Amino acid sequence: MSRRGWLVLIVCIVLVGGAATWYWLPELIRQVAVARIHAMTGRPVSIEAVRLNLLTGRFTIRDFRLAEREGTAPFADFAQLDIRVYLPSLLRGHLWIRELVLRDSTVRVVRVAGDEFNFSDLIQTSGATSKALDVTVDRFALTGGTVTLEDRALPEWRTWASEHITIEAHNLSTLRGDGRAVGRSVTAGAPVAVEVNNLRLYPIHLRATVRVEGLDLSMARVYFPPSAPVIVDRGRASTSVTVALDARDGLRVDADGQFEDVAFVKADEDTPLALVPKLTAQVTGFGVREGDLQLEQLAVEGTMDVREPTAKGEARFRPSRVQASIADLTWPARTAGRLDLRASIPGGGMLTAAGTVRPPPEATQLHVRVADLDLAPWAQFLPLAVRARGLAEADLRMNEPLAAGIPARVQGAIAVNGLGVADARQELVSVERIEAGELELHWPTQLVVGRILVSGPRGIVERDHSGRFPLRELAGRPGASPAVPSAPAADSQAETTPPFGVEIDEVVVRDGAVAWRDATVSPPARFDVSGIEATALRSSLRGSLSVP
């Protein structure tokens, strides 16, 4: 065969081989992608088709589906993904995507129990802290996106959806910091807008603003335990949150929110217990850096109305106003922070708190005062079938270093005057005055109460004809559902977060009296004990009483 013949044959073989490769390469890529994703996730994967043009760097993936672990339900899918890559950049270790467009995607998130989700198995940390190669995306677009959240950890399963998700992003890169993105969606009927600027992929840097208009707060009621005495019945919230995140400087959050027409009700009632016509909150300079917390300012202002417990017929509400501000707080304390709180307590009473929190060993100076706090309206919120009365007061001052492991003595006392607890028939327990003093705070784990003085306590213990004790039944609220045990906390959390404890050194009773009534015998038995004087220490009990 002549040289020209051999050349023609080689060219023909190359053309046939190239054509075959060109024809079968998309299918080969599809099969490799399916196998690789399945190996990485352990889940069934399907891709209907892959198209590519190596000359223009265009790739298209159609009808992608990733199933749940058991393979019976879909987890994520999209109709089409179009990618245009600048292939020569790969030669210098730079993945340059000119355009990335995702259409009609759906992600279905399911909370199974506690903090476990249906994507928990997909979250795996490789331990690598550096990028493998530089990445640039000139344009990313998402249209027709949907994310659903199905919560199966609730007694009754609930599902929420964020629909009509659109994202338009430009200049996303590890090499530049001028990336920007805009996103919108409708979440549970509320419009949500997200705007991101100054975005760099690695090391991470961004500034983002999230705005939510008119979010329905009644969704939160499903997260109250079945035995909760009070739940959210209605309300709307509008918020704007700005987040600045930098790999070196940490996190900073500025936010403001407005809550309107919020109503709290008992689980077994329709009439509101409390109303919040309007409440605004503003957070400035909340930051986290290397485990340290910082808050430049927190301001809260609004009104809250609590239902009168003794009102007959149509419900009446006591209005109150709340105004509070906190400034320049850090934890652990590094600079002097200011606290200023003035509020008329819903239902009656005044609360003031003022002072300066300083880093140890400097002393923190705080003064907290509560005057004429009426307990009757607040008894409605307790999971108890009782009526309560009493006026609480407190005047506490601290001028001690506030730090972990350093006891801080608190001057002053907390007291309740005219305390009474009654069922539907009569008052069962009353106390002229109960006062707690000689306080010592072991921040953040324990409060030590040096002395509790109980003056003039009176109590009635009854047993009815059936042998029941009405006093014990006060702990049950009619119509309340039994509590559902929650998932146990992780061992690591239990070890690192000890519960806050209260320790009482001494309890002194002055002029006490107890009446015993027993209707199981005929005639009913009556037994009265009065003049009770007693002192209980942590290791002993001494006292005296008289029996008429």
Side-chain angles (χ1 to χ4, degrees):
M1 183 180 295
S2 65
R3 181 180 299 177
R4 177 174 295 183
W6 280 109
L7 180 61
V8 171
L9 178 61
I10 293 173
V11 169
C12 290
I13 293 175
V14 170
L15 290 176
V16 172
T21 302
W22 190 275
Y23 179 80
W24 290 106
L25 184 58
E27 176 62 19
L28 178 62
I29 293 176
R30 186 192 72 82
Q31 293 182 10
V32 170
V34 169
R36 181 59 179 163
I37 296 174
H38 175 71
M40 292 173 59
T41 65
R43 299 176 176 221
V45 183
S46 68
I47 298 176
E48 181 177 304
V50 173
R51 294 183 302 180
L52 75 159
N53 187 329
L54 295 178
L55 297 179
T56 61
R58 291 185 179 273
F59 301 84
T60 298
I61 300 174
R62 296 181 55 189
D63 293 332
F64 170 88
R65 287 178 175 80
L66 178 65
E68 293 283 9
R69 279 169 286 187
E70 70 279 3
T72 58
F75 168 68
D77 58 67
F78 59 79
Q80 186 166 312
L81 175 63
D82 295 312
I83 308 173
R84 182 161 62 93
V85 181
Y86 182 62
L87 295 177
S89 66
L90 295 175
L91 299 177
R92 59 177 189 269
H94 181 200
L95 177 58
W96 188 352
I97 301 176
R98 293 291 184 86
E99 190 174 53
L100 181 65
V101 180
L102 182 62
R103 296 180 175 87
D104 300 330
S105 64
T106 301
V107 178
R108 301 166 183 85
V109 178
V110 179
R111 187 173 77 136
V112 182
D115 295 330
E116 183 181 356
F117 291 83
N118 62 336
F119 58 80
S120 298
D121 61 310
L122 300 179
I123 303 177
Q124 297 179 358
T125 304
S126 64
T129 58
S130 61
K131 61 183 186 294
L133 74 166
D134 289 315
V135 177
T136 297
V137 180
D138 289 346
R139 176 179 181 258
F140 169 73
L142 183 150
T143 60
T146 300
V147 176
T148 63
L149 169 61
E150 182 180 358
D151 200 334
R152 300 179 183 176
L154 300 173
E156 296 183 6
W157 294 1
R158 296 290 297 271
T159 301
W160 292 272
S162 182
E163 302 172 301
H164 311 297
I165 301 174
T166 61
I167 299 175
E168 183 73 27
H170 296 270
N171 301 333
L172 311 181
S173 178
T174 60
L175 299 176
R176 52 195 294 182
D178 61 344
R180 65 187 188 278
V182 175
R184 289 180 174 80
S185 71
V186 178
T187 302
V192 178
V194 180
E195 183 176 354
V196 182
N197 292 293
N198 304 327
L199 172 60
R200 183 180 62 236
L201 297 181
Y202 186 91
I204 187 67
H205 177 86
L206 62 87
R207 181 179 179 84
T209 300
V210 182
R211 295 182 177 87
V212 181
E213 295 291 337
L215 183 66
D216 186 3
L217 295 180
S218 65
M219 297 187 304
R221 67 188 304 170
V222 300
Y223 290 98
F224 284 71
S227 58
V230 179
I231 59 176
V232 177
D233 181 61
R234 66 175 188 270
R236 311 292 295 184
S238 299
T239 62
S240 176
V241 180
T242 300
V243 177
L245 177 62
D246 185 85
R248 181 183 58 188
D249 297 334
L251 173 70
R252 176 189 169 101
V253 178
D254 300 294
D256 59 76
Q258 180 170 295
F259 305 88
E260 297 179 306
D261 191 29
V262 182
F264 298 90
V265 300
K266 279 188 175 182
D268 54 348
E269 293 183 1
D270 296 327
T271 304
L273 277 180
L275 301 172
V276 180
K278 186 176 181 179
L279 181 72
T280 60
Q282 184 175 20
V283 176
T284 303
F286 173 78
V288 180
R289 182 178 181 183
E290 297 179 353
D292 292 351
L293 301 181
Q294 178 178 353
L295 177 62
E296 292 181 7
Q297 186 173 24
L298 167 65
V300 179
E301 185 173 359
T303 57
M304 182 175 182
D305 306 334
V306 179
R307 188 177 72 189
E308 289 271 12
T310 58
K312 304 297 183 182
E314 185 177 355
R316 296 200 306 268
F317 294 84
R318 296 186 190 179
S320 63
R321 186 163 186 82
V322 177
Q323 186 174 5
S325 66
I326 300 174
D328 301 328
L329 285 185
T330 59
W331 188 259
R334 298 189 308 272
T335 60
R338 303 185 306 275
L339 170 66
D340 186 12
L341 169 64
R342 294 182 59 86
S344 56
I345 302 174
M350 288 294 298
L351 168 65
T352 60
T356 303
V357 179
R358 292 186 170 90
E362 294 184 58
T364 289
Q365 298 169 329
L366 292 176
H367 183 199
V368 180
R369 188 170 183 271
V370 178
D372 299 328
L373 170 58
D374 190 353
L375 300 182
W378 296 99
Q380 305 172 90
F381 293 87
L382 299 175
L384 306 173
V386 299
R387 292 178 292 112
R389 62 176 175 85
L391 292 178
E393 61 184 40
D395 193 347
L396 304 174
R397 297 176 182 269
M398 187 180 76
N399 189 11
E400 301 271 348
L402 183 60
I406 302 178
R409 291 181 298 275
V410 180
Q411 306 297 323
I414 303 172
V416 179
N417 296 302
L419 176 64
V421 177
D423 61 10
R425 299 181 300 110
Q426 61 183 337
E427 191 166 76
L428 300 176
V429 178
S430 66
V431 181
E432 292 180 6
R433 179 179 173 85
I434 180 170
E435 178 180 316
E438 301 177 17
L439 308 178
E440 190 174 90
L441 178 62
H442 295 251
W443 180 262
T445 59
Q446 188 180 48
L447 173 65
V448 177
V449 181
R451 188 170 188 259
I452 295 181
L453 175 61
V454 184
S455 302
R458 301 288 185 270
I460 299 177
V461 181
E462 288 185 304
R463 184 164 61 175
D464 61 19
H465 294 83
S466 61
R468 295 180 304 170
F469 290 88
L471 190 62
R472 292 179 55 187
E473 296 178 359
L474 293 181
R477 177 171 55 84
S481 302
V484 176
S486 58
D491 293 340
S492 59
Q493 182 177 359
E495 293 175 359
T496 58
T497 311
F500 187 84
V502 177
E503 182 178 297
I504 301 173
D505 289 341
E506 181 183 32
V507 178
V508 178
V509 177
R510 293 286 182 264
D511 190 26
V514 176
W516 165 259
R517 304 290 183 263
D518 191 350
T520 61
V521 297
S522 183
R526 299 172 61 91
F527 186 72
D528 298 317
V529 179
S530 62
I532 299 176
E533 304 284 335
T535 300
L537 303 175
R538 278 187 289 179
S539 58
S540 64
L541 173 65
R542 63 180 184 273
S544 63
L545 56 85
S546 61
V547 180

